[in-house]
Amino acid sequence: MAASSGSKSIFMSIVLSLCLHLTLSSVTYDNKALIINGQRRILLSGSIHYPRSSHEMWEGLIQKAKDGGLDAIDTYVFWNVHEPSPGNYNFEGRYDLVRFIKLVQKAGLYVHLRIGPYICAEWNFGGFPVWLKFVQGISFRTDNKPFKHAMQNFTQKIVQMMKDEKLFKSQGGPIILSQIENEYEPEREEFGSAGEAYMKWAAEMAVELNTEVPWVMCKEEDAPDPVINTCNGFYCHSFSPNKPSKPKMWTEAWTGWFSDFGGQNYQRPVEDLAFAVARFIQKGGSFVNYYMYHGGTNFGRTAGGPFITTSYDYDAPIDEYGLIREPKYGHLKELHKAIKLCENTLLTANPTVTSLGNYEEAHVFSSESGHCAAFLSNYHTESAARVTFNNREYNLPPWSISILPDCKNVIFNTANVTGQRSHVQMLPTNVTFHSWETFNEDVFSLEDDSTITTVGLLEQLNVTRDTSDYLWYSTSVNISSSNSFLHGGERPTLSVQSRGHALHVFVNGHLTGSASGTRTFKRFTFRGNVNLHAGVNTISLLSIAVGLPNNGPHFESYKTGVLGPVVLHGIDEGKRDLSWHKWSYKIGLQGEAMVTGLGSQSSIPFVSWVPSSLEHKKQQPLTWYKAYFDAPEGDEPLAMDMSSMNKGQVLINGQNIGRYWTAIANGACRNCNYTGTYRPTNCGFDCGKPSQQWYHVPRSWLRPRQNLLIVFEEISGDASKISLVKRLVTRK
């Protein structure tokens, strides 16, 4: 009997221990909020994408996010960098997802893991590996067996990695939330029943992976239970989940906007961002993720769009270089403190909304325990208001919300920015580049080895499979000696229609001209006079991709490159359509092949570099430059100033810093006002200047001595004026 009682006691202790463990490691939800370890939580999160910074920066970025009052870090998972070819995986360096998540856990923060695996994110091909396009019978993001098979395999791979490392909250890890798919609603509506079937399949597939944390679908109104549908946008106060049992969550509160080559840069006033967040919270929101909290850099050829800049700064609270941006960082930190002071009251009470005037109202939360919190709002875009609430008077600036954690005292107003402001300078370093050498790319012609020779024009991605931005098209034109333009007449004109994204035209080995599209108008036409001689002439077109599309229905079918027509005008026969001539194709450049990985030290000797005095060198297209330099002293972030160049790529010690292009920002920049509904075009800047001048160089990529710089310039530029600068931020 005694033994039996003892056994029962031990059994009950084990059961209670298991129940306690499950309670302390659980994530569920109700209509109010996510419930973590049995407690409702208002959660403030920020997006930091691990491939967009060096892994040496991660810990500092995460700590700054924590110091800024965040509870969680949000990141996409980048399929194309992790599985560059089918079944071959890469989780090294800045692609070390597990290491990144463990650093977040070390800082005591949660993780929202947005597996997708479609991510958009202005990232090349929306995060899909390009090989996926060439799977037989595939159709992206719809009820298509080959696509679902590949998507499920990768999703399972990531989930199993997280389980193996015990990273889900149910295992004691930091991951409290996961996302399947991404902003699918427009595609679902476009694809009809096939989209509906795919969306339901994706949700069921995710839930069946048994992560024991909730799954979300952002911008997908019909997300099936138990998946939570969430909001993305500049504002989400009017959003409601599709079931009353689900919490109101904002997975992307856009802190700014991305930039494209030839476009303006954008900022979002922190007064408006804070107003949007407070408005969401007062309407019952309980999860806010800032997209981006640190934007980072599109190193190498990772930028999508196309035309997205190498910088992905996004006007985020932590800038591209990892430095705090004020007053955005500090003002949001104060907002977070105010929200947290109200947290228990907000999560245990429903608001009573009272009008305080034509544009003013109060959202009052009164809990059964006697606690009270209030949000006083003024929605007028021009006029301040003086309102009476609980027999007290309060001043409300236009387009603002005041937070009163005790329904008496204002501790925060979204429009009252009192902190310091960042003053940014890009200053010279003591670095000099020495031992300059150059290598000139040969213009591809019919006599060279080609990848393909065929009749007609081929779509670029189908040929390159994105192994290079560059594809040569070359054909020949026979001109009779009797043509009148050879005897004093007007020169012929060549017109080339392209789907993008940029084009350099060479005739008989000489650059005739260049043309490019824009992010808005990707198609463009080159027109220019050409110098032809009697006999056989070679026309060589260098087509350049500037990132692959990352969104839209069936974006895998979008076309790139010279698709014609290509027409020669002004010859005696009138015009000659060259589109269906025999064309030869060559993928990439000699320099790319000989300088392995666009800058590997080991392959440098195999390139025919020529010592060069840049001051006296004649500038010519398709030139590679090489030099060495020592790392500057100090710890300030560094950048390459490429304003003296035109368009190309830059590498340091074999690391591709990214595409550079000094395209001038077009449009009319306006004075930015925080009031009224925000749109990026209301707050553009840098008009008339290059969209991007400085290119981030992580210090961890440098050696103390003999760092190797390689620059490829497509058109022409003064490499002697390239400089390494440091970013200095002071606060006033």
Side-chain angles (χ1 to χ4, degrees):
M1 189 70 176
S4 177
S5 297
S7 298
K8 286 182 179 179
S9 298
I10 293 170
F11 175 75
M12 290 303 295
S13 297
I14 292 172
V15 170
L16 288 171
S17 177
L18 285 171
C19 290
L20 182 62
H21 172 75
L22 290 172
T23 301
L24 295 179
S25 302
S26 66
V27 186
T28 58
Y29 64 82
D30 63 10
N31 65 319
K32 282 285 191 181
L34 292 180
I35 301 171
I36 302 176
N37 301 340
Q39 291 188 323
R40 289 174 175 163
R41 294 290 309 274
I42 288 179
L43 295 171
L44 303 165
S45 172
S47 290
I48 299 176
H49 294 162
Y50 55 98
R52 282 178 157 144
S53 53
S54 65
H55 64 81
E56 291 86 356
M57 294 174 64
W58 291 346
E59 195 162 10
L61 295 172
I62 293 164
Q63 186 60 47
K64 286 173 183 173
K66 182 178 182 178
D67 294 344
L70 297 192
D71 304 294
I73 299 298
D74 163 295
T75 186
Y76 282 124
V77 178
F78 296 75
W79 187 0
N80 61 342
V81 303
H82 292 310
E83 193 178 6
S85 61
N88 295 311
Y89 296 99
N90 179 8
F91 291 93
E92 303 297 323
R94 70 176 191 274
Y95 305 147
D96 191 342
L97 174 60
V98 167
R99 179 181 178 185
F100 178 77
I101 293 175
K102 286 185 175 180
L103 286 173
V104 176
Q105 182 179 26
K106 179 183 175 184
L109 299 180
Y110 297 124
V111 171
H112 177 201
L113 190 65
R114 304 176 74 183
I115 299 174
Y118 167 72
I119 64 171
C120 185
E122 293 70 58
W123 190 260
N124 198 54
F125 223 41
F128 287 154
V130 172
W131 58 258
L132 193 66
K133 169 184 168 68
F134 300 99
V135 172
Q136 186 173 5
I138 203 162
S139 183
F140 285 6
R141 305 180 72 203
T142 187
D143 191 20
N144 172 264
K145 187 174 181 180
F147 177 76
K148 291 193 296 183
H149 176 75
M151 173 187 169
Q152 183 171 8
N153 281 350
F154 183 74
T155 304
Q156 288 175 332
K157 168 79 175 177
I158 297 300
V159 167
Q160 192 58 51
M161 283 181 65
M162 300 302 106
K163 287 183 177 181
D164 291 345
E165 298 289 338
K166 294 182 169 48
L167 292 175
F168 286 107
K169 181 61 177 170
S170 55
Q171 302 171 292
I175 302 173
I176 58 168
L177 201 62
S178 293
Q179 179 177 300
I180 194 70
E181 251 298 332
N182 188 57
E183 300 184 329
Y184 188 64
E185 191 166 312
E187 276 69 20
R188 174 178 55 78
E189 293 173 351
E190 175 78 16
F191 298 158
S193 59
E196 188 77 19
Y198 164 72
M199 182 266 295
K200 291 179 179 178
W201 168 86
E204 291 171 3
M205 181 268 290
V207 172
E208 288 172 0
L209 293 173
N210 297 318
T211 62
E212 298 184 61
V213 302
W215 287 86
V216 303
M217 280 184 165
C218 66
K219 290 184 75 170
E220 178 41 77
E221 183 177 46
D222 289 347
D225 296 343
V227 177
I228 306 167
N229 65 305
T230 66
C231 184
N232 292 356
F234 291 116
Y235 306 95
C236 281
H237 55 276
S238 61
F239 166 79
S240 294
N242 60 19
K243 290 288 179 65
S245 59
K246 298 177 182 179
K248 185 171 180 173
M249 301 176 67
W250 190 359
T251 37
E252 289 189 15
W254 298 334
T255 58
W257 203 238
F258 57 83
S259 301
D260 55 276
F261 290 117
Q264 304 170 27
N265 291 306
Y266 304 102
Q267 59 187 1
R268 185 180 186 185
V270 69
E271 298 94 330
D272 178 68
L273 178 57
F275 174 76
V277 172
R279 197 174 185 182
F280 179 73
I281 297 294
Q282 77 175 7
K283 294 289 291 289
S286 60
F287 180 96
V288 177
N289 177 69
Y290 295 104
Y291 187 99
M292 301 292 296
Y293 200 76
H294 163 72
T297 306
N298 293 317
F299 295 116
R301 299 190 302 117
T302 58
F307 296 99
I308 300 300
T309 56
T310 296
S311 171
Y312 199 66
D313 182 84
Y314 224 89
D315 195 39
I318 304 174
D319 73 15
E320 177 185 3
Y321 298 82
L323 301 176
I324 287 172
R325 172 176 278 119
E326 296 290 13
K328 185 165 278 188
Y329 177 92
H331 194 55
L332 292 178
K333 181 177 181 177
E334 295 305 310
L335 169 65
H336 303 157
K337 289 179 181 177
I339 291 171
K340 289 297 183 178
L341 287 172
C342 307
E343 182 175 15
N344 291 335
T345 306
L346 296 175
L347 293 177
T348 55
N350 293 317
T352 299
V353 183
T354 305
S355 175
L356 302 177
N358 291 333
Y359 296 91
E360 301 82 36
E361 63 183 19
H363 286 69
V364 183
F365 297 79
S366 300
S367 68
E368 292 182 359
S369 61
H371 293 97
C372 181
F375 289 64
L376 308 184
S377 308
N378 177 10
Y379 303 125
H380 202 286
T381 59
E382 297 179 2
S383 301
R386 189 171 180 83
V387 300
T388 301
F389 172 71
N390 282 354
N391 299 318
R392 297 188 180 201
E393 291 191 339
Y394 299 88
N395 294 316
L396 297 175
W399 199 253
S400 78
I401 295 174
S402 286
I403 299 177
L404 294 67
D406 58 359
C407 284
K408 295 178 183 178
N409 299 296
V410 175
I411 66 160
F412 183 83
N413 177 273
T414 58
N416 289 337
V417 179
T418 58
Q420 296 178 318
R421 295 179 181 270
S422 297
H423 177 63
V424 178
Q425 295 174 282
M426 304 301 281
L427 301 175
T429 62
N430 60 351
V431 166
T432 57
F433 299 106
H434 61 87
S435 305
W436 282 100
E437 294 181 297
T438 61
F439 164 69
N440 294 113
E441 193 81 25
D442 291 333
V443 175
F444 175 63
S445 68
L446 295 178
E447 290 74 30
D448 297 332
D449 292 335
S450 62
T451 305
I452 300 170
T453 298
T454 188
V455 173
L457 298 164
L458 300 179
E459 195 276 335
Q460 183 164 338
L461 187 57
N462 285 336
V463 180
T464 67
R465 303 208 172 194
D466 201 37
T467 56
S468 172
D469 282 353
Y470 302 97
L471 179 64
W472 284 104
Y473 297 68
S474 187
T475 192
S476 62
V477 178
N478 201 324
I479 296 296
S480 170
S481 60
S482 62
N483 255 282
S484 56
F485 76 85
L486 295 171
H487 305 284
E490 187 175 343
R491 289 186 297 160
T493 299
L494 181 68
S495 66
V496 181
Q497 291 191 25
S498 174
R499 295 285 188 96
H501 306 124
L503 180 71
H504 305 312
V505 177
F506 296 83
V507 176
N508 296 324
H510 300 285
L511 179 64
T512 294
S514 303
S516 62
T518 65
R519 183 171 168 270
T520 305
F521 302 104
K522 299 172 184 63
R523 300 187 185 193
F524 63 92
T525 300
F526 166 86
R527 290 186 180 87
N529 295 116
V530 291
N531 290 318
L532 301 176
H533 54 68
V536 177
N537 296 261
T538 301
I539 295 176
S540 299
L541 311 175
L542 183 58
S543 180
I544 306 115
V546 190
L548 299 182
N550 56 263
N551 62 6
H554 293 307
F555 66 83
E556 74 276 15
S557 65
Y558 294 3
K559 298 183 185 304
T560 303
V562 179
L563 298 180
V566 177
V567 181
L568 188 62
H569 305 266
I571 53 180
D572 287 353
E573 63 196 76
K575 66 179 181 180
R576 190 182 303 177
D577 191 337
L578 309 180
S579 307
W580 290 99
H581 273 213
K582 181 182 288 187
W583 288 85
S584 292
Y585 299 84
K586 184 179 180 181
I587 299 170
L589 306 169
Q590 293 169 289
E592 288 181 289
M594 289 189 281
V595 183
T596 306
L598 285 178
S600 159
Q601 180 86 37
S602 61
S603 61
I604 293 284
F606 299 104
V607 177
S608 300
W609 296 99
V610 177
S612 177
S613 173
L614 296 182
E615 291 79 5
H616 306 292
K617 179 176 172 58
K618 180 182 178 182
Q619 296 181 13
Q620 62 185 91
L622 308 185
T623 299
W624 296 81
Y625 297 87
K626 175 169 74 78
Y628 293 91
F629 67 98
D630 295 339
E633 297 177 350
D635 59 1
E636 302 93 345
L638 302 173
M640 298 296 300
D641 184 345
M642 302 300 293
S643 57
S644 67
M645 306 301 282
N646 195 310
K647 183 179 182 299
Q649 297 185 33
V650 57
L651 303 100
I652 292 179
N653 294 332
Q655 298 273 11
N656 193 328
I657 301 301
R659 302 181 182 100
Y660 71 85
W661 194 355
T662 52
I664 300 300
N666 294 313
C669 291
R670 306 174 184 175
N671 291 328
C672 185
N673 194 321
Y674 81 86
T675 61
T677 301
Y678 173 79
R679 293 292 178 265
T681 51
N682 296 341
C683 290
F685 64 99
D686 281 344
C687 292
K689 300 178 181 178
S691 300
Q692 183 171 355
Q693 177 177 347
W694 297 289
Y695 294 79
H696 181 208
V697 180
R699 272 193 179 265
S700 60
W701 291 3
L702 299 184
R703 301 184 288 263
R705 300 283 183 269
Q706 284 294 97
N707 294 283
L708 171 64
L709 168 71
I710 290 183
V711 175
F712 173 63
E713 171 58 48
E714 296 174 15
I715 305 171
S716 65
D718 187 350
S720 68
K721 294 182 180 177
I722 294 173
S723 63
L724 186 69
V725 299
K726 60 184 178 182
R727 188 174 180 89
L728 181 66
V729 175
T730 55
R731 297 187 180 93
K732 297 180 179 179

PDB file of all heavy atoms in Angstrom, residues 471-491:
ATOM      1  N   LEU A 471      24.601  39.279 -70.961  1.00  0.00           N
ATOM      2  CA  LEU A 471      24.440  38.372 -72.104  1.00  0.00           C
ATOM      3  C   LEU A 471      24.749  39.133 -73.386  1.00  0.00           C
ATOM      4  O   LEU A 471      24.156  40.181 -73.664  1.00  0.00           O
ATOM      5  CB  LEU A 471      23.021  37.805 -72.166  1.00  0.00           C
ATOM      6  CG  LEU A 471      22.744  36.862 -73.345  1.00  0.00           C
ATOM      7  CD1 LEU A 471      23.617  35.602 -73.247  1.00  0.00           C
ATOM      8  CD2 LEU A 471      21.268  36.492 -73.422  1.00  0.00           C
ATOM      9  N   TRP A 472      25.680  38.569 -74.161  1.00  0.00           N
ATOM     10  CA  TRP A 472      26.017  39.126 -75.476  1.00  0.00           C
ATOM     11  C   TRP A 472      25.088  38.556 -76.551  1.00  0.00           C
ATOM     12  O   TRP A 472      24.857  37.353 -76.587  1.00  0.00           O
ATOM     13  CB  TRP A 472      27.451  38.777 -75.861  1.00  0.00           C
ATOM     14  CG  TRP A 472      28.536  39.552 -75.173  1.00  0.00           C
ATOM     15  CD1 TRP A 472      29.337  39.124 -74.171  1.00  0.00           C
ATOM     16  CD2 TRP A 472      28.956  40.883 -75.487  1.00  0.00           C
ATOM     17  NE1 TRP A 472      30.235  40.098 -73.827  1.00  0.00           N
ATOM     18  CE2 TRP A 472      30.024  41.195 -74.620  1.00  0.00           C
ATOM     19  CE3 TRP A 472      28.533  41.847 -76.412  1.00  0.00           C
ATOM     20  CZ2 TRP A 472      30.672  42.429 -74.647  1.00  0.00           C
ATOM     21  CZ3 TRP A 472      29.184  43.072 -76.438  1.00  0.00           C
ATOM     22  CH2 TRP A 472      30.241  43.353 -75.567  1.00  0.00           C
ATOM     23  N   TYR A 473      24.591  39.443 -77.413  1.00  0.00           N
ATOM     24  CA  TYR A 473      23.891  39.081 -78.643  1.00  0.00           C
ATOM     25  C   TYR A 473      24.739  39.624 -79.798  1.00  0.00           C
ATOM     26  O   TYR A 473      25.081  40.815 -79.803  1.00  0.00           O
ATOM     27  CB  TYR A 473      22.526  39.758 -78.744  1.00  0.00           C
ATOM     28  CG  TYR A 473      21.478  39.420 -77.704  1.00  0.00           C
ATOM     29  CD1 TYR A 473      21.619  39.800 -76.372  1.00  0.00           C
ATOM     30  CD2 TYR A 473      20.300  38.767 -78.073  1.00  0.00           C
ATOM     31  CE1 TYR A 473      20.634  39.521 -75.436  1.00  0.00           C
ATOM     32  CE2 TYR A 473      19.305  38.484 -77.148  1.00  0.00           C
ATOM     33  CZ  TYR A 473      19.480  38.869 -75.832  1.00  0.00           C
ATOM     34  OH  TYR A 473      18.493  38.599 -74.910  1.00  0.00           O
ATOM     35  N   SER A 474      25.052  38.793 -80.781  1.00  0.00           N
ATOM     36  CA  SER A 474      25.895  39.278 -81.871  1.00  0.00           C
ATOM     37  C   SER A 474      25.416  38.731 -83.207  1.00  0.00           C
ATOM     38  O   SER A 474      25.057  37.557 -83.322  1.00  0.00           O
ATOM     39  CB  SER A 474      27.357  38.870 -81.639  1.00  0.00           C
ATOM     40  OG  SER A 474      28.204  39.471 -82.599  1.00  0.00           O
ATOM     41  N   THR A 475      25.379  39.625 -84.206  1.00  0.00           N
ATOM     42  CA  THR A 475      25.004  39.218 -85.554  1.00  0.00           C
ATOM     43  C   THR A 475      25.821  40.028 -86.556  1.00  0.00           C
ATOM     44  O   THR A 475      26.529  40.972 -86.189  1.00  0.00           O
ATOM     45  CB  THR A 475      23.494  39.417 -85.797  1.00  0.00           C
ATOM     46  OG1 THR A 475      23.115  38.754 -86.998  1.00  0.00           O
ATOM     47  CG2 THR A 475      23.132  40.891 -85.899  1.00  0.00           C
ATOM     48  N   SER A 476      25.731  39.657 -87.830  1.00  0.00           N
ATOM     49  CA  SER A 476      26.479  40.366 -88.870  1.00  0.00           C
ATOM     50  C   SER A 476      25.519  41.003 -89.865  1.00  0.00           C
ATOM     51  O   SER A 476      24.402  40.519 -90.085  1.00  0.00           O
ATOM     52  CB  SER A 476      27.430  39.409 -89.595  1.00  0.00           C
ATOM     53  OG  SER A 476      26.703  38.381 -90.243  1.00  0.00           O
ATOM     54  N   VAL A 477      25.980  42.084 -90.459  1.00  0.00           N
ATOM     55  CA  VAL A 477      25.200  42.814 -91.461  1.00  0.00           C
ATOM     56  C   VAL A 477      26.104  43.078 -92.658  1.00  0.00           C
ATOM     57  O   VAL A 477      27.184  43.666 -92.509  1.00  0.00           O
ATOM     58  CB  VAL A 477      24.673  44.152 -90.895  1.00  0.00           C
ATOM     59  CG1 VAL A 477      23.910  44.914 -91.965  1.00  0.00           C
ATOM     60  CG2 VAL A 477      23.805  43.919 -89.671  1.00  0.00           C
ATOM     61  N   ASN A 478      25.676  42.656 -93.813  1.00  0.00           N
ATOM     62  CA  ASN A 478      26.453  42.870 -95.045  1.00  0.00           C
ATOM     63  C   ASN A 478      25.917  44.118 -95.744  1.00  0.00           C
ATOM     64  O   ASN A 478      24.733  44.210 -96.056  1.00  0.00           O
ATOM     65  CB  ASN A 478      26.329  41.652 -95.957  1.00  0.00           C
ATOM     66  CG  ASN A 478      27.471  41.595 -96.949  1.00  0.00           C
ATOM     67  OD1 ASN A 478      27.914  42.628 -97.426  1.00  0.00           O
ATOM     68  ND2 ASN A 478      27.936  40.388 -97.270  1.00  0.00           N
ATOM     69  N   ILE A 479      26.817  45.069 -95.967  1.00  0.00           N
ATOM     70  CA  ILE A 479      26.429  46.336 -96.584  1.00  0.00           C
ATOM     71  C   ILE A 479      27.065  46.448 -97.972  1.00  0.00           C
ATOM     72  O   ILE A 479      28.285  46.288 -98.132  1.00  0.00           O
ATOM     73  CB  ILE A 479      26.870  47.526 -95.710  1.00  0.00           C
ATOM     74  CG1 ILE A 479      26.145  47.487 -94.357  1.00  0.00           C
ATOM     75  CG2 ILE A 479      26.619  48.849 -96.410  1.00  0.00           C
ATOM     76  CD1 ILE A 479      24.653  47.660 -94.428  1.00  0.00           C
ATOM     77  N   SER A 480      26.239  46.702 -98.955  1.00  0.00           N
ATOM     78  CA  SER A 480      26.725  46.868-100.333  1.00  0.00           C
ATOM     79  C   SER A 480      27.501  48.176-100.451  1.00  0.00           C
ATOM     80  O   SER A 480      27.126  49.192 -99.863  1.00  0.00           O
ATOM     81  CB  SER A 480      25.546  46.872-101.301  1.00  0.00           C
ATOM     82  OG  SER A 480      25.974  47.262-102.586  1.00  0.00           O
ATOM     83  N   SER A 481      28.564  48.146-101.255  1.00  0.00           N
ATOM     84  CA  SER A 481      29.388  49.348-101.438  1.00  0.00           C
ATOM     85  C   SER A 481      28.653  50.452-102.174  1.00  0.00           C
ATOM     86  O   SER A 481      29.086  51.600-102.171  1.00  0.00           O
ATOM     87  CB  SER A 481      30.672  48.986-102.193  1.00  0.00           C
ATOM     88  OG  SER A 481      30.365  48.441-103.468  1.00  0.00           O
ATOM     89  N   SER A 482      27.527  50.116-102.777  1.00  0.00           N
ATOM     90  CA  SER A 482      26.767  51.123-103.518  1.00  0.00           C
ATOM     91  C   SER A 482      25.826  51.921-102.632  1.00  0.00           C
ATOM     92  O   SER A 482      25.182  52.879-103.108  1.00  0.00           O
ATOM     93  CB  SER A 482      25.952  50.436-104.632  1.00  0.00           C
ATOM     94  OG  SER A 482      25.014  49.527-104.079  1.00  0.00           O
ATOM     95  N   ASN A 483      25.672  51.562-101.347  1.00  0.00           N
ATOM     96  CA  ASN A 483      24.744  52.274-100.466  1.00  0.00           C
ATOM     97  C   ASN A 483      25.093  53.751-100.403  1.00  0.00           C
ATOM     98  O   ASN A 483      26.262  54.125-100.242  1.00  0.00           O
ATOM     99  CB  ASN A 483      24.787  51.675 -99.058  1.00  0.00           C
ATOM    100  CG  ASN A 483      23.552  50.832 -98.774  1.00  0.00           C
ATOM    101  OD1 ASN A 483      22.487  51.358 -98.489  1.00  0.00           O
ATOM    102  ND2 ASN A 483      23.714  49.503 -98.867  1.00  0.00           N
ATOM    103  N   SER A 484      24.082  54.595-100.543  1.00  0.00           N
ATOM    104  CA  SER A 484      24.301  56.034-100.663  1.00  0.00           C
ATOM    105  C   SER A 484      24.916  56.646 -99.415  1.00  0.00           C
ATOM    106  O   SER A 484      25.637  57.644 -99.500  1.00  0.00           O
ATOM    107  CB  SER A 484      22.983  56.741-100.989  1.00  0.00           C
ATOM    108  OG  SER A 484      22.000  56.452-100.019  1.00  0.00           O
ATOM    109  N   PHE A 485      24.648  56.061 -98.221  1.00  0.00           N
ATOM    110  CA  PHE A 485      25.213  56.662 -97.005  1.00  0.00           C
ATOM    111  C   PHE A 485      26.739  56.547 -97.000  1.00  0.00           C
ATOM    112  O   PHE A 485      27.418  57.295 -96.287  1.00  0.00           O
ATOM    113  CB  PHE A 485      24.603  56.032 -95.745  1.00  0.00           C
ATOM    114  CG  PHE A 485      25.131  54.662 -95.397  1.00  0.00           C
ATOM    115  CD1 PHE A 485      26.287  54.502 -94.656  1.00  0.00           C
ATOM    116  CD2 PHE A 485      24.460  53.521 -95.819  1.00  0.00           C
ATOM    117  CE1 PHE A 485      26.758  53.243 -94.334  1.00  0.00           C
ATOM    118  CE2 PHE A 485      24.928  52.265 -95.496  1.00  0.00           C
ATOM    119  CZ  PHE A 485      26.085  52.117 -94.754  1.00  0.00           C
ATOM    120  N   LEU A 486      27.294  55.622 -97.786  1.00  0.00           N
ATOM    121  CA  LEU A 486      28.744  55.495 -97.880  1.00  0.00           C
ATOM    122  C   LEU A 486      29.359  56.563 -98.778  1.00  0.00           C
ATOM    123  O   LEU A 486      30.591  56.697 -98.841  1.00  0.00           O
ATOM    124  CB  LEU A 486      29.123  54.112 -98.408  1.00  0.00           C
ATOM    125  CG  LEU A 486      28.765  52.915 -97.519  1.00  0.00           C
ATOM    126  CD1 LEU A 486      29.013  51.604 -98.272  1.00  0.00           C
ATOM    127  CD2 LEU A 486      29.567  52.956 -96.224  1.00  0.00           C
ATOM    128  N   HIS A 487      28.497  57.345 -99.446  1.00  0.00           N
ATOM    129  CA  HIS A 487      28.974  58.349-100.405  1.00  0.00           C
ATOM    130  C   HIS A 487      28.432  59.724-100.047  1.00  0.00           C
ATOM    131  O   HIS A 487      27.963  60.477-100.908  1.00  0.00           O
ATOM    132  CB  HIS A 487      28.542  57.959-101.822  1.00  0.00           C
ATOM    133  CG  HIS A 487      28.990  56.584-102.209  1.00  0.00           C
ATOM    134  ND1 HIS A 487      30.288  56.281-102.573  1.00  0.00           N
ATOM    135  CD2 HIS A 487      28.316  55.400-102.242  1.00  0.00           C
ATOM    136  CE1 HIS A 487      30.398  54.991-102.842  1.00  0.00           C
ATOM    137  NE2 HIS A 487      29.211  54.425-102.640  1.00  0.00           N
ATOM    138  N   GLY A 488      28.470  60.017 -98.755  1.00  0.00           N
ATOM    139  CA  GLY A 488      28.090  61.352 -98.301  1.00  0.00           C
ATOM    140  C   GLY A 488      26.698  61.452 -97.758  1.00  0.00           C
ATOM    141  O   GLY A 488      26.289  62.542 -97.320  1.00  0.00           O
ATOM    142  N   GLY A 489      25.937  60.395 -97.778  1.00  0.00           N
ATOM    143  CA  GLY A 489      24.577  60.434 -97.256  1.00  0.00           C
ATOM    144  C   GLY A 489      24.540  60.338 -95.730  1.00  0.00           C
ATOM    145  O   GLY A 489      25.560  60.149 -95.064  1.00  0.00           O
ATOM    146  N   GLU A 490      23.347  60.453 -95.206  1.00  0.00           N
ATOM    147  CA  GLU A 490      23.166  60.385 -93.753  1.00  0.00           C
ATOM    148  C   GLU A 490      23.400  58.967 -93.249  1.00  0.00           C
ATOM    149  O   GLU A 490      22.997  57.994 -93.891  1.00  0.00           O
ATOM    150  CB  GLU A 490      21.757  60.857 -93.385  1.00  0.00           C
ATOM    151  CG  GLU A 490      21.534  60.994 -91.891  1.00  0.00           C
ATOM    152  CD  GLU A 490      20.163  61.575 -91.564  1.00  0.00           C
ATOM    153  OE1 GLU A 490      19.527  62.158 -92.472  1.00  0.00           O
ATOM    154  OE2 GLU A 490      19.723  61.428 -90.405  1.00  0.00           O
ATOM    155  N   ARG A 491      24.034  58.859 -92.094  1.00  0.00           N
ATOM    156  CA  ARG A 491      24.330  57.540 -91.530  1.00  0.00           C
ATOM    157  C   ARG A 491      23.052  56.781 -91.184  1.00  0.00           C
ATOM    158  O   ARG A 491      22.055  57.384 -90.784  1.00  0.00           O
ATOM    159  CB  ARG A 491      25.185  57.678 -90.269  1.00  0.00           C
ATOM    160  CG  ARG A 491      26.619  58.102 -90.516  1.00  0.00           C
ATOM    161  CD  ARG A 491      27.404  58.060 -89.207  1.00  0.00           C
ATOM    162  NE  ARG A 491      26.871  59.005 -88.227  1.00  0.00           N
ATOM    163  CZ  ARG A 491      27.087  58.941 -86.917  1.00  0.00           C
ATOM    164  NH1 ARG A 491      27.830  57.945 -86.425  1.00  0.00           N
ATOM    165  NH2 ARG A 491      26.580  59.827 -86.101  1.00  0.00           N
TER     166      ARG A 491
END
